[in-house]
Each structure stands twice: as structure tokens, then as C-alpha cells.
Amino acid sequence: MSDNADPDFMPEDIDLDRPNAARVYDWLLGGEANWAVDRQFGEQVVQTNPNARTGAMVNREFLGRAVRYCVQQGVTQFLDIGSGVPTVGNVHEVADKVAPDSRCVYVDNEPVAVAHSKILLERHGDPDRHAVLRGDLRDVRGVWKQAMGTGVLDPDRPIALLMVAVLHFIEEGAHEAVAHYRELLPEGSYLVVSHGSYDGIPAEQLAQVERIIQQYQRSSTPVNVRGRDEFTTFFGDFDLVEPGVAWLPEWRPGEGESKATSQFLDNPAASCVLGGVARKA
Ligand SMILES: C[S@@+](CC[C@H](N)C(=O)[O-])C[C@H]1O[C@@H](n2cnc3c(N)ncnc32)[C@H](O)[C@@H]1O
């Protein structure tokens, strides 16, 4: 969506006064669901960190590898919270390629992301197997009730819960919310998380990360990066699968198409994003 796109499409409560993470991320990935306020902001982020666009792709590639991993372990139901604007390699598409009967519910709190997901699923989805809803990650009961209410997911069978590149937009209540989701997930489920971090990143990049955090203070989605130890606690007592918590380029880079990831293999910490996948025993 660009500024001159069909006005009928415009969701009513979209905030165009400030840039928003969903739309800036869409711009970084080369999408069109963004407005001038998001693009100008994105340009500034890229000026601060010339790797920002590749970094967004690295995150997307991690998402794809993690989804394929879960399907290979026999888990074919996905709850993708903070799913974003649909783009290359959406969860249901990646999962369907490996398991054509896979199921996915998308959740986001940004109206443009939800509207675009609805259109995509109306055109290319299967209403029995795919759904999208608007919800705030912190409203655990509400999100869970709505997600299970779609009838797409069976709460008695393992579910892969994805919270990819979303928890760093939540300062207060993130740990409590994730702990509650961990409780709700049935045994055999997986938790997939990626998150901006600064521990051990090259010194010149630390300054960039700090500037980007400052820049995002102006957006409707301020960023709050976390260190490795704090990030690891999101997985609680779930069993982290190999290689454990890792910089995204280090998380099973050989599995799947990983063009952007390969650019970071010499210096994975430069991705500034940690990831992990863990199983509920
Ligand atoms: C950087 S995008 C990540 C999209 C996708 N998960 C990925 O990794 O490619 C972050 C998304 O999280 C969403 N988000 C931020 N805070 C949220 C919240 N409290 N509840 C639900 N979604 C949220 C944003 O609207 C945005 O779409």
C-alpha cells in the first residue's frame, strides 16, 4: 500500500502521524504497505545502520528455517503473534510447502498488517486452515481465546508459537505474557522467538543500536533490546533445541535458502538479533 493506494482499503484507526514497526519493517523488506512517514523513518534507520535491510531479511530467513524445523518435528499448527504485513515467505506458505495440511493463525495489533493478511488469506488461503485476527500480545487470554475460537487450531495438539521480532517492542509485561503462553501451550509444542540484542556485538555497532533505539522512540513502537541472559529466560523450562540461543545467522544456517544470512556468517553478532527454538516436554 502506498499513499495513493485505494482509499477504501485504509483501515479506520491507522496511526499515520508516527512511523510504525510493522510498516517500517515492510518497507525494509521492499513491501508496499507503508506510508511516507514510515519510509522517511526507514531511510533514517538505514542511514544509521546500512545493514538494516539485510538484517530484516536475516530475520525473515530465520523465521522460515524455524517453521520448517517445527514441521519436520511433526508440529504443523502455528500461532504467529506479531506476524506483520504479509511478505516473502509467510508462515502458512512455508509450512504448506512441507505439510500441505498445516494450519496457521496470524495475530498482530497493527491494523494495516491485519488488513493485508486478511486480503492475502481471502485470495490465497483456506478458511478451514488459516485465519488472522487483531490482538495485542500482552492480552494473553484474549488472544488465546480468539485464536482457538477460529477453529483453525486444535488446542489439544502441539502448536508452534512464533514471536519473531516482536518482543523487543514490548517493554513492560513481556515476560509475564510469554510465561502465560508457555503455560497454555500443550505438551510437545514449540516456542520460536527472535529479539534485538546488544550483548557482544561489535563496538561500532553498539553505537548504531543505541541510535536506532533513540530513533524508534519517535515511532508508535519504541524498541527495548535485551541481553542474552534476559532473552534466554523467555524460554522458561522449555528445552532449547540445538544450537540453543544464537545470533540468527548461527541458527541452523545450512537448512533452507538463506541468502542474506550467508552475508553475516563471518560476523553473526553483527545481525544484532538473537533467536531460539524450544520444546515443551
Ligand atoms: C518487525 S515486525 C515482525 C514481523 C514478523 N514476525 C517477522 O519476524 O517477519 C513486528 C510486528 O510486531 C507487531 N507488534 C508490535 N507490538 C505488538 C503487540 N503488542 N501485539 C501484537 N503485535 C505487535 C508489529 O505490528 C509488527 O507487525
Side-chain angles (χ1 to χ4, degrees), residues 100-279:
D101 59 346
S102 75
R103 292 169 170 265
C104 181
V105 174
Y106 293 107
V107 181
D108 205 286
N109 68 348
E110 208 287 325
V112 173
V114 174
H116 275 263
S117 303
K118 268 192 186 138
I119 291 171
L120 174 81
L121 294 181
E122 273 161 22
R123 290 184 186 157
H124 304 292
D126 171 350
D128 290 335
R129 297 192 298 115
H130 308 125
V132 55
L133 55 97
R134 186 161 173 200
D136 190 306
L137 185 149
R138 291 162 292 190
D139 173 20
V140 181
R141 279 185 207 288
V143 165
W144 192 263
K145 193 171 169 211
Q146 276 198 80
M148 297 311 143
T150 61
V152 165
L153 304 176
D154 177 353
D156 294 327
R157 287 199 306 118
I159 295 169
L161 172 60
L162 312 176
M163 287 187 273
V164 178
V166 57
L167 290 171
H168 48 228
F169 295 112
I170 298 176
E171 186 172 5
E172 307 248 324
H175 287 283
E176 293 77 358
V178 177
H180 195 171
Y181 286 114
R182 287 199 311 267
E183 266 171 44
L184 291 168
L185 287 169
E187 282 174 17
S189 292
Y190 283 88
L191 176 61
V192 176
V193 190
S194 77
H195 195 296
S197 189
Y198 51 78
D199 266 357
I201 65 174
E204 66 277 11
Q205 252 167 330
L206 191 55
Q208 281 178 0
V209 170
E210 280 165 357
R211 276 209 301 283
I212 288 175
I213 292 171
Q214 277 168 12
Q215 287 172 325
Y216 268 89
Q217 292 305 317
R218 291 195 288 109
S219 75
S220 54
T221 42
V223 169
N224 174 54
V225 297
R226 293 180 168 93
R228 185 178 282 256
D229 288 348
E230 188 183 349
F231 172 72
T232 304
T233 64
F234 280 124
F235 297 99
D237 62 356
F238 283 21
D239 299 325
L240 278 157
V241 306
E242 285 296 323
V245 165
W247 295 112
L248 295 191
E250 294 174 317
W251 199 90
R252 300 176 179 253
E255 293 176 25
E257 215 182 311
S258 295
K259 289 185 196 133
T261 299
S262 60
Q263 296 178 37
F264 282 84
L265 287 177
D266 289 346
N267 186 7
S271 67
C272 302
V273 185
L274 289 170
V277 176
R279 183 176 184 276

